[in-house]
Amino acid sequence: MATVTADPLQQTVAALNALYNSPSNSAKKEANVWLESFQSKPEAWQTAVILLTTESVGKEAQVFGAQTMRRKIVDDLQDLDGAHRASLRDSLLNLSMQHKASPRVIRTQLCLALAALSLRMLEWQQPVNHMINLYGSSSTDLLYLLEYLTVLPEEVNDTRCPSLTDDEYRTRSDELLTQNANNILKLLVVYMENSGDDARLQEAIFRCFLSWLRSGDIATSSLSTNPLLAFSFKALQMPELFDIAVDVVCELIYQTKDIEESMAVIQEIYPNLLPLRQEIVKNIEDGNEDNIRGYCKIFVEAGECYLSLVVKHTDHFRGIVEGIAACTAFHDLDIVPMTFRFWYQLAEELRRNEEARLKYQDVYENLVDVMIKHLHYPDDLNSWTAKERDEFKDFRHVMGDVLKDCCLILGSRVPLSKAYMLITQAASKAPPKWQEVEAPLMALRSMGAQVEPEENEVLPEIMKLLSQLPEHPKIKYAATLVIARYGSWTDKHPEFIEYQLGFISSGFENEDVIAASALALKLLCRECSTHLLNYLNQLHAFFSGVTKKLKGIDLLEVTEAVAHVIGAVPTAELAQVFQMFCLPIAQQLAVLATRDRSTLEEDIPAIIDNISQLKIFFETVNPQVAPSEPHPCIPIVQELWPIMDSLAESVGGIDDVAKPLAGCWRSIVISYRTHYTSLLPGTMARLVKSFEQTGLGPYLWVSSRIVREFGEANPGPALQFVESLSVSMWQILQKFSGQFNEIPDVVEDYFNLVSDLMFSCPREYLNSSLFPTVFKAIMACFSLTEKYAVVSVMRHCRIVLDHMNDLQHSRSSPTSSRASSPRISTNEATIVKSQFVENDTFVSLMIQGIIYTFPPEVYDDAAGVIKALAMFCPQESVLWFSKAVSGLDMTPAEMQKIVTDFSAVVSGGNWSRALSTVLGFTTLYRRKNVLPRSRSKK
């Protein structure tokens, strides 16, 4: 190792002093950057040693020295020759001796460095035995040895190791862990048996045991008679060891989840679990929340890992379920949800086992009572913060899922009857507590998805009861949402519609109940639209009045409610009804659009609401009308067009307006298609102008839909339309050159647009001057990291290449349906190939993206593009792939192997293997050089 001058040491100490003591954040940041950079330099080796041997530098400096030592070993050990590696090992062992009584943070970092060296220094024979021989004979040194043995599995299983090949890594990790596991287990037993009452040593032993359990190197069969199992359960009675004992017991259970292989161990574990139920009861009485949390973790782990035993042997393993049930009944709502996944898993299994389902019905009946109790709001709700209320509100929905599980096991009658009884009892009290009425109402709402629409025994009585409940906004709100949840039931019981309409409409008179009433009306109208045609006039009068005082989501839900009913109107009568509801909104929008521009922005919320209302009408009311027949909805669209055009000009640059405005156009295009043709030229011109003026993605979004709907029949206008939009897009890309991650939504919308153009009129697009420019934009966009933007770029590449490969297929298969009239020709194939040849770094950028920058969700898409390119240009793709690999940090032999593998699958036409070859190679490279590696063979 290189000799270090005083300067690096002094600079390091000064930087550490600035990092920990400077009052300036910028100085701290600068110091941190310098220290991280320094750790990569050769002189950092000796500086770390000096820091660790100079006590006067202080604790922080010595911690940094130990951290630096570990980092140098991980990153730069391969730069040292054999003699220097041996010197490093001896130096590190000497430092360990010096620091075996130092603060734990220093000891841990040194142990991590030793563990890292143990893995990477292959010539170090049996490092584990070496460490045991050094530190295992003295009781004062045991803590240091145990620290090393604890971090070793963690270091081996969670580390980058570019200096080792995969075979070397697997062989070395087996030497360190698998081959030593039994001896370590025996050693820990000896240490534990001789630990006396030394809780500190016992905790260290348990932590080491836990680490080796988690590594998976200890065979579960070796645990069946091992004293550490009994020690672990005994430690649950010792407060100072309780937390680590919980973790160990949970890991023991997890490692024995393979029932068939681990039955002997399970037969020892389960008897130790049963007495813990009494501990739960005792700790519930004492209010010891921390201990209950620990016991809950243990029982839930047992329930999930031994689920098949719980179902198959209900009598013998029922104790696990009872233990979990006791934890679920505890009042602490931070502990209760720990059990929810178990109840779901158990319910799923019991559905397939009728005998077991019947035996656990009593447990689920009690669970219904427990969950309804947990649904209660507290008496002192006003003392809660808004955040606490929101969190509890969200949590109630999660608890509702458990009630659904109960319905799966019990059927709907029992849970409904329990809720009905609780509501009746609570409402009859004088005075009633709203919390006691509201909670079972919430339960009814939660269980709605599991209640059969044909239920005729309990629900009719519940519905009648709703109007008799005490007057309270919380009760009214919850009762209204019960109606909302049972719309499909009401469709089978239309005799309740008039009663429910009256109940819902009365809620709009109470500010606290409006949101529930709007939602309930929407869901009732959606489920019962045909039945509600008889109430159309009443709905119109109600709609005209109530919408004057509603805003935002409540207004839109009421609008959607009546839209569902309008959608059920026969086509012959639809025009008049549609205009009756829509025209007043359009007229109000026209007034807003003609306001003076200086004050127009004050009306933005109203404009957004009105446009959103019309959008809902257009997407919901879409009857199927023959192209030759007049469409009943088009007249109102024609009246609305100049208003929308005016709004786009005046306030279309406001993102909150552009989204609903574009959404309204899009809904019209989707719903009315060819009937909208006469208004299409004006719409396209408006969208081009609006995108030019604003650069907002929503205008591209709706343009994409227009191209999809009309492009194939009108390829010339569609191409001209996209070319006009592209002029503005190039200006945006130039403005944000190198910073495309700041405009991911615009990039996503644009590439979706050109993808739809490629689908609709591929020949025109590929022969245009637009295609080469788009290709250059693709290359520039490989720096993106936002998932959906990258996906849209990959999708466009794939669509182009799929067309090329379809063409080749049609030429080689004369019987193909595509062969008689291919949408593209060899001329277009030549154009596309020339772009890949001209931009021969395409594959390199793709490989770099898959390894370093693309989000994981895009890996398959990107590899699929490379596969499709190989199908299209097999010979060239091998050369491009070779060029891509040559830019990576690999040995010549590794490069040759992957290029040979890729060439073989391409030349053999094995395209599924081409995909797996790219994914396998990039995954392996990323795991070896970028991310932690796994020891398992894939």
Side-chain angles (χ1 to χ4, degrees):
M1 285 175 279
T3 302
V4 65
T5 66
D7 283 342
L9 178 61
Q10 292 171 358
Q11 286 179 297
T12 302
V13 173
L16 287 166
N17 184 56
L19 179 66
Y20 288 105
N21 301 314
S22 174
S24 168
N25 287 332
S26 61
K28 289 177 181 288
K29 183 176 180 181
E30 183 180 346
N32 187 60
V33 170
W34 187 91
L35 289 167
E36 288 185 352
S37 175
F38 176 72
Q39 286 180 318
S40 65
K41 297 178 180 179
E43 55 264 35
W45 287 110
Q46 190 65 15
T47 302
V49 173
I50 294 175
L51 289 172
L52 286 164
T53 54
T54 308
E55 188 175 351
S56 60
V57 297
K59 175 183 172 182
E60 290 83 1
Q62 293 200 318
V63 170
F64 177 76
Q67 290 172 333
T68 300
M69 189 66 77
R70 182 197 179 205
R71 177 172 170 180
K72 297 297 290 182
I73 291 170
V74 170
D75 292 343
D76 301 326
L77 183 68
Q78 65 272 16
D79 297 337
L80 304 181
D81 60 25
H84 281 99
R85 287 198 297 270
S87 174
L88 170 66
R89 178 195 58 200
D90 295 342
S91 176
L92 195 53
L93 289 172
N94 288 332
L95 289 168
S96 298
M97 279 291 184
Q98 295 175 34
H99 285 281
K100 61 186 180 182
S102 294
R104 183 177 177 184
V105 63
I106 298 175
R107 300 200 317 267
T108 299
Q109 289 300 321
L110 283 172
C111 286
L112 285 168
L114 277 167
L117 187 64
S118 301
L119 173 64
R120 292 164 179 80
M121 188 176 173
L122 301 184
E123 63 269 34
W124 186 4
Q125 297 296 313
Q126 298 185 338
V128 174
N129 287 338
H130 191 169
M131 292 294 293
I132 292 172
N133 291 334
L134 282 176
Y135 295 100
S137 59
S138 170
S139 59
T140 58
D141 295 342
L142 279 185
L143 287 175
Y144 193 84
L145 174 62
L146 289 168
E147 186 76 24
Y148 166 79
L149 293 176
T150 299
V151 301
L152 180 64
E154 299 165 1
E155 181 71 16
V156 171
N157 285 318
D158 187 21
T159 186
R160 290 183 300 108
C161 199
S163 61
L164 301 182
T165 66
D166 265 28
D167 287 341
E168 288 174 333
Y169 172 74
R170 280 192 288 266
T171 300
R172 186 62 168 178
S173 61
D174 285 345
E175 290 174 0
L176 292 172
L177 301 184
T178 308
Q179 295 177 23
N180 284 303
N182 286 335
N183 288 335
I184 297 299
L185 200 56
K186 293 175 183 177
L187 198 66
L188 294 178
V189 171
V190 172
Y191 292 159
M192 184 64 79
E193 289 176 339
N194 291 280
S195 64
D197 58 357
D198 188 341
R200 185 182 176 203
L201 176 59
Q202 291 167 350
E203 181 181 0
I205 294 169
F206 277 130
R207 291 196 184 282
C208 186
F209 182 38
L210 178 62
S211 179
W212 284 77
L213 281 174
R214 286 174 173 168
S215 75
D217 291 280
I218 293 178
T220 55
S221 58
S222 66
L223 297 171
S224 61
T225 57
N226 194 292
L228 285 175
L229 192 151
F231 282 142
S232 301
F233 279 95
K234 183 179 178 182
L236 291 170
Q237 307 305 316
M238 303 171 65
E240 60 270 35
L241 295 177
F242 181 81
D243 290 341
I244 184 63
V246 167
D247 290 340
V248 171
V249 170
C250 286
E251 191 63 30
L252 282 167
I253 293 169
Y254 178 77
Q255 292 296 334
T256 55
K257 64 184 181 297
D258 187 329
I259 304 297
E260 184 175 347
E261 179 184 312
S262 308
M263 197 62 211
V265 189
I266 295 172
Q267 287 174 342
E268 289 200 27
I269 290 175
Y270 186 63
N272 284 286
L273 282 177
L274 293 179
L276 300 184
R277 291 178 298 171
Q278 295 304 315
E279 292 298 319
I280 294 175
V281 173
K282 178 178 179 296
N283 280 275
I284 288 177
E285 292 173 353
D286 295 341
N288 191 330
E289 297 176 0
D290 291 337
N291 278 14
I292 295 170
R293 182 178 287 104
Y295 289 124
C296 185
K297 285 175 61 177
I298 291 172
F299 273 90
V300 168
E301 192 72 53
E304 293 179 356
C305 292
Y306 304 155
L307 186 62
S308 61
L309 296 175
V310 168
V311 174
K312 291 178 184 177
H313 306 284
T314 53
D315 294 333
H316 186 67
F317 285 92
R318 183 184 174 95
I320 293 176
V321 180
E322 292 175 347
I324 296 173
C327 295
T328 306
F330 188 55
H331 66 81
D332 187 336
L333 296 186
D334 288 330
I335 295 174
V336 171
M338 294 166 59
T339 67
F340 288 175
R341 186 171 69 171
F342 168 76
W343 294 120
Y344 167 75
Q345 292 176 343
L346 180 60
E348 288 296 305
E349 290 297 317
L350 293 179
R351 291 173 64 186
R352 296 187 285 268
N353 189 320
E354 179 64 13
E355 181 181 355
R357 185 185 72 82
L358 294 174
K359 289 188 176 182
Y360 281 120
Q361 279 194 320
D362 62 320
V363 175
Y364 276 90
E365 286 189 28
N366 290 332
L367 188 59
V368 172
D369 296 330
V370 166
M371 297 315 298
I372 293 178
K373 182 179 179 181
H374 286 325
L375 288 171
H376 281 66
Y377 276 106
D379 293 340
D380 59 342
L381 180 59
N382 291 333
S383 66
W384 278 14
T385 65
K387 181 182 178 182
E388 288 174 326
R389 295 186 189 194
D390 289 341
E391 288 175 349
F392 184 65
K393 181 179 178 182
D394 292 340
F395 181 53
R396 295 174 99 215
H397 291 290
V398 179
M399 289 192 283
D401 291 337
V402 180
L403 286 168
K404 294 175 189 175
D405 298 333
C406 295
C407 289
L408 286 175
I409 304 307
L410 301 172
S412 61
R413 186 185 63 80
V414 171
L416 288 176
S417 298
K418 282 177 172 287
Y420 176 69
M421 180 185 67
L422 289 170
I423 295 169
T424 305
Q425 291 174 349
S428 64
K429 292 182 179 179
K433 292 180 65 174
W434 69 264
Q435 292 92 338
E436 294 181 358
V437 179
E438 191 273 345
L441 286 172
M442 174 65 190
L444 287 173
R445 177 186 169 196
S446 300
M447 295 184 289
Q450 301 300 331
V451 177
E452 306 82 2
E454 295 78 18
E455 206 285 326
N456 292 314
E457 185 176 346
V458 185
L459 267 179
E461 298 306 313
I462 290 174
M463 289 298 170
K464 295 173 187 175
L465 178 64
L466 297 182
S467 62
Q468 304 169 26
L469 296 177
E471 283 295 327
H472 191 284
K474 296 288 187 183
I475 295 175
K476 179 75 171 182
Y477 187 98
T480 303
L481 290 180
V482 169
I483 293 175
R485 192 64 193 82
Y486 288 90
S488 58
W489 179 87
T490 305
D491 185 48
K492 300 292 184 181
H493 300 79
E495 66 272 18
F496 283 92
I497 285 180
E498 185 170 356
Y499 163 77
Q500 291 184 357
L501 277 177
F503 190 90
I504 292 171
S505 61
S506 66
F508 287 96
E509 299 170 5
N510 189 322
E511 190 70 27
D512 295 327
V513 186
I514 287 176
S517 299
L519 176 63
L521 187 63
K522 179 184 76 171
L523 297 178
L524 180 66
C525 290
R526 186 182 70 189
E527 298 294 335
C528 307
S529 57
T530 304
H531 296 304
L532 285 164
L533 287 175
N534 296 327
Y535 299 89
L536 200 55
N537 289 331
Q538 296 97 308
L539 279 174
H540 179 253
F542 168 78
F543 181 74
S544 300
V546 78
T547 53
K548 293 177 182 178
K549 65 177 183 179
L550 297 181
K551 297 178 182 179
I553 187 65
D554 298 333
L555 173 65
L556 301 185
E557 289 190 328
V558 170
T559 302
E560 185 178 342
V562 297
H564 284 301
V565 181
I566 296 169
V569 173
T571 304
E573 305 167 21
L574 182 57
Q576 181 181 354
V577 175
F578 195 60
Q579 189 171 46
M580 180 172 68
F581 280 88
C582 292
L583 189 58
I585 302 173
Q587 290 171 341
Q588 183 177 347
L589 202 55
V591 172
L592 293 171
T594 56
R595 295 274 181 91
D596 185 87
R597 291 196 179 187
S598 61
T599 61
L600 189 59
E601 289 194 12
E602 298 176 5
D603 300 315
I604 292 300
I607 291 172
I608 292 172
D609 280 347
N610 287 161
I611 295 173
S612 299
Q613 280 185 280
L614 292 168
K615 172 182 176 292
I616 288 170
F617 278 125
F618 294 140
E619 66 188 11
T620 307
V621 184
N622 54 355
Q624 299 302 307
V625 180
S628 58
E629 298 293 328
H631 198 290
C633 300
I634 285 297
I636 196 71
V637 173
Q638 291 172 327
E639 289 190 44
L640 184 63
W641 159 248
I643 302 171
M644 294 177 68
D645 184 65
S646 175
L647 288 170
E649 181 66 28
S650 58
V651 290
I654 300 173
D655 192 42
D656 288 341
V657 176
K659 289 177 181 177
L661 190 62
C664 192
W665 267 315
R666 188 173 183 273
S667 296
I668 293 170
V669 169
I670 293 172
S671 293
Y672 309 136
R673 291 184 165 85
T674 55
H675 297 281
Y676 186 68
T677 303
S678 62
L679 295 172
L680 200 57
T683 303
M684 293 164 70
R686 163 44 60 195
L687 292 171
V688 169
K689 185 176 182 181
S690 289
F691 184 60
E692 177 186 3
Q693 292 173 333
T694 69
L696 295 176
Y699 297 113
L700 296 177
W701 178 56
V702 64
S703 298
S704 182
R705 191 70 204 198
I706 289 175
V707 170
R708 192 184 310 177
E709 294 291 344
F710 300 101
E712 186 171 359
N714 305 277
L719 176 62
Q720 185 179 0
F721 177 42
V722 177
E723 286 177 330
S724 299
L725 290 164
S726 298
V727 172
S728 301
M729 186 65 191
W730 306 145
Q731 294 173 353
I732 293 171
L733 292 179
Q734 288 173 359
K735 177 181 177 182
F736 288 91
S737 178
Q739 299 175 313
F740 295 161
N741 283 313
E742 294 186 17
I743 52 167
D745 54 337
V746 179
V747 173
E748 177 190 349
D749 290 329
Y750 180 76
F751 278 99
N752 286 338
L753 170 66
V754 290
S755 292
D756 284 328
L757 182 67
M758 180 67 198
F759 267 129
S760 301
C761 37
R763 179 170 293 176
E764 289 75 10
Y765 169 52
L766 295 177
N767 279 283
S768 72
S769 60
L770 177 62
F771 177 63
T773 313
V774 171
F775 203 98
K776 287 182 173 58
I778 290 171
M779 301 284 285
C781 286
F782 284 151
S783 62
L784 282 163
T785 57
E786 199 280 328
K787 177 175 69 173
Y788 296 109
V790 179
V791 166
S792 69
V793 176
M794 295 298 117
R795 176 172 173 262
H796 185 65
C797 296
R798 187 62 184 267
I799 291 168
V800 171
L801 289 168
D802 284 351
H803 274 74
M804 300 303 106
N805 291 320
D806 285 346
L807 174 66
Q808 291 182 350
H809 177 70
S810 68
R811 291 166 60 198
S812 61
S813 304
T815 58
S816 170
S817 60
R818 296 177 182 266
S820 57
S821 57
R823 302 182 69 202
I824 56 172
S825 67
T826 54
N827 180 59
E828 285 76 53
T830 301
I831 292 171
V832 172
K833 185 172 183 178
S834 69
Q835 286 301 312
F836 282 103
V837 171
E838 181 180 336
N839 299 277
D840 63 351
T841 59
F842 180 90
V843 175
S844 296
L845 293 174
M846 290 283 284
I847 293 293
Q848 292 281 338
I850 296 173
I851 292 174
Y852 294 111
T853 60
F854 292 164
E857 298 88 345
V858 184
Y859 294 163
D860 284 359
D861 295 308
V865 170
I866 295 175
K867 181 201 81 170
L869 178 59
M871 295 173 66
F872 177 47
C873 304
Q875 294 179 348
E876 294 85 355
S877 69
V878 173
L879 296 176
W880 295 331
F881 186 80
S882 177
K883 182 177 180 180
V885 170
S886 68
L888 299 174
D889 183 14
M890 301 174 66
T891 65
E894 290 173 327
M895 291 183 192
Q896 182 63 40
K897 182 179 185 304
I898 184 57
V899 172
T900 300
D901 290 347
F902 185 76
S903 177
V905 296
V906 170
S907 61
N910 193 339
W911 304 120
S912 61
R913 279 199 60 199
L915 179 66
S916 62
T917 298
V918 173
L919 285 173
F921 159 65
T922 52
T923 300
L924 185 64
Y925 186 90
R926 191 185 313 110
R927 192 173 72 231
K928 182 178 178 182
N929 297 278
V930 184
L931 298 174
R933 254 198 291 186
S934 169
R935 293 164 53 203
S936 61
K937 295 183 180 181
K938 300 294 182 181

